[in-house]
Amino acid sequence: MDIDGFSRAEYNQHYISRMRPIFNMKALFSDMTEDYVSPAEPSAYGEVTIRIRTKRNNVDKVFFVCDNENHLMMKSESDDYFDYYSHTVQLENREISYYFEIHAGKIICYYNYGGASKSVSKELDFRLIPGYKTPDWAKGAVMYQIYVDRFCNGDPSNDVLTNEYRYIGENTVKVEDWDKHPAAIGIREFYGGDLQGVLDKMDYLQDLGVDVIYFNPLFVSPSNHKYDIQDYDYIDPHFGKIVEDKGELLTPGVENRFASKYINRVTNKANLEASNQLFIKVVEEAHRRGMKVILDGVFNHCGSFNKWMDRERIYENAEGYEKGAYVDRNSPYHNYFIFHDKYAWPYNGTYDGWWGHDTLPKLNFEGSKELFDYVMCIAKKWVSAPYNADGWRLDVAADLGHSQEYNHYFWKQFYQSVKEANPNAIVLAEHYGNPRDWLHGDEWDTIMNYDAFMEPLTWFLTGMQKHSDDYREDMYGNVESFWGAMIYNSVNMTMPSMYISMNELSNHDHSRFLTRTNQKVGRTNTIGSHAADEGVNKAVLREAVVVQMTWPGAPTIYYGDEAGVKGFTDPDNRRTYPWGKEDKELIDFHKAIIQIHKRNKEFLTGSVKWYKETPRHVLAYGRFNKEEQSLVVVNNSDVEIMQEIQVWYLGTPREGVMNQLIFTGECGYNTEMKEYPIVSGKVSLTLPPTSAVILKYKKKQTKNFLQFK
């Protein structure tokens, strides 16, 4: 039968040819990686090409929208499944923000950092900052944080001794039992870890796969944490070398000005210079093994022991030192601090302390050009020869100064000083909250990534707050909350900062992640340190490490996490590394997952595809570039799940095979080869409780035939 002069077959073919394909919003993709921004770190006044991907033959037109102007994008490339639209922008020396507008028939949608949507959300625009470049060595680098006093004691002769000096009201204590948990008020306990211990364990760090050692503060300081610095010019001899040891221990109750052994150890230039020489050796050895070294810089405040203040009167009669500002009104350091009583000298204790702590005098940069210049020299000194450190981590960086305006001025000058001395060094900051104001490529390179990594992942996998101070059932396994937090906080970083952000599960300020898996709310002083060891779940920790090693940024291991160390928030999180009692299977797992991270470029600088529509307690995402595609799936529930994932959105073929790189579950982990077929663009998985898997599509290698002439 004919229809309008056509045979039925001809009519059907004509009808089908005129049908509009169903618009596939999920196939849309763009981000700030090198596949979609070229060059990925463009210079000011240069050109940059921006791309977006659509399903092949699926849209009518795409606009690049910037500065309220729509620019029609051209289809520049196609493959079997996707079309790529491009637009080239002539940059100025200013940040640009943009999104995409996609037309498909009568449908109009928008694409920004949060993905495809039906409305414009300016706060989720992509942002590009010309000239913002970060060192390639830091992109995806595996970092290892060492709290030196608790890592390894390689030189017992430099240990802080019992009754060596007073610290916050009582005398110091040398802990004789390396395995003892820190006391609830363990501020004056010392275990003896030092830089020689780090040198002794370099083989271990290299074998683990460490790229960067990040040291908690190393400079002269009376505490075990050393965030109350006493002398920025020297490594603490208790971490370094004591070559001239004399003087007496301090009788309890007696002032520190009589602590002659301590005074000699930390003011004697022979000890100080020998300690700096040992640090040089540490950096040289790290560099020889292909590792970098990052120092911890505390410039918002110093310590009351500091030679500029000298509240303890340690330097008052020491050879070669000026009088401190606490001791003498006419001290050259008088303007380094703010004093409220101008008539209280000698021994004026009316200075500003950070958050009111008189042990942490707030540095007054606005009032002293000499102080500012000195710290700029320190910024340069330690990243220059002969020390050659590879960067700074900045403590409480947003608190520095007495105004936001000065804070930004200071960090711009600090950044410039560091980069002039060592262009390949990095500047990363401790920061809570929105870091956007500091991340423009001229203050901080990046941040410790609490808000867009540690916190969302901890809530999702454990339901715990990062200090173990709270448990929330509504956050535990909440997929929507996880992705919401990740997107909301990640958009405040551009790609150069995201790639090198410090992604930690634990550190010296928060409970150990393994302890959070027991979902016990408390601290050492409320429920005891033993409670941190009870009911922990290593399978959940392994899931977290799988995410850590496959997420954009620099995965950062807090010493001992890889060996099964537990602990509530500080000081319990500062337990010693358990040499000889390590969890060797957990260490082997870390070695395996670190190698997977390092050998697969998509985990270092690739794109992220979010699969948001998964059941509660299940995470799924892809990491991919044009050449390589991997899928990560985590089942943190207590039941087996079956999940079907459309992996062709990552760039795999619709028919093929993905290979298992690693699997971890309740009984351990394995790296055995297992194939998962791709059928109609989808992979089907069955995952047991508390498990995670990484799959990778491997392109078939074409055969090479001998060529005969």
Side-chain angles (χ1 to χ4, degrees), residues 127 439 447 449 452 489-495 497-498 501:
R127 294 186 305 121
L439 296 178
I447 55 169
N449 196 6
N489 292 299
S490 294
V491 75
N492 293 315
M493 290 185 275
T494 55
M495 201 54 73
S497 57
M498 174 75 77
S501 61

Side-chain angles (χ1 to χ4, degrees), residues 39 136 179 185 207 253 312 350 415 429 431-432 505 546 649 653 666:
D136 288 341
D179 298 325
I185 306 296
D207 190 43
E312 303 298 316
T350 68
Y415 181 93
H431 188 73
Y432 299 86
L505 298 174
V546 166
Y649 289 144
E666 292 177 327

